[in-house]
Amino acid sequence: MPEAVQVQLKRGVLELCVLALLSRADAYAYDIAARLAAAIDMGEGTIYPLMRRMQSDGLVDTYLVESSSGPPRKYYRLTPAGRNSLAAQKAEWVSFSVAVGEILGDEK
């Protein structure tokens, strides 16, 4: 698959993946980035601008937690709007992936 297509596919689901991770537990940006890098090979540099945008959109809020190995860490958690967005995006993803699967001839 051409690299540009892979990048676009990953960026298209990045917010959904972050919302899903935060629905399981609050996390700091580096932890989110590491988990995404391991799961979908997404670079760390794309996470920080996304987290700022999600915060300004009201999908997440932050709080500080003291760290024994340096300065306090900024943790992110879902807001009610973030939970609503996750539910809507997840439903849209399921519908979209089923439609693409049908076009590709995938059988269940």
Side-chain angles (χ1 to χ4, degrees):
M1 176 181 296
E3 186 176 329
V5 173
Q6 283 185 338
V7 169
Q8 290 304 316
L9 288 173
K10 290 174 184 178
R11 284 195 179 149
V13 298
L14 189 57
E15 181 177 306
L16 173 59
C17 291
V18 170
L19 291 170
L21 288 174
L22 290 175
S23 74
R24 296 180 193 133
D26 298 355
Y28 54 99
Y30 181 81
D31 181 49
I32 295 167
R35 291 162 69 186
L36 289 171
I40 61 171
D41 193 29
M42 199 69 198
E44 180 183 332
T46 59
I47 298 302
Y48 294 97
L50 174 64
M51 299 310 296
R52 282 191 296 276
R53 184 183 58 74
M54 290 174 67
Q55 186 175 10
S56 69
D57 290 347
L59 302 178
V60 299
D61 63 13
T62 63
Y63 60 95
L64 293 176
V65 173
E66 291 298 321
S67 172
S68 60
S69 61
R73 289 183 174 153
K74 183 192 287 188
Y75 274 74
Y76 293 86
R77 66 179 157 221
L78 288 184
T79 63
R83 291 194 185 283
N84 291 339
S85 181
L86 172 59
Q89 288 187 45
K90 192 173 179 180
E92 195 63 36
W93 173 258
V94 168
S95 175
F96 178 76
S97 61
V98 166
V100 171
E102 288 174 1
I103 291 167
L104 296 176
D106 292 351
E107 295 183 27
K108 291 191 176 197

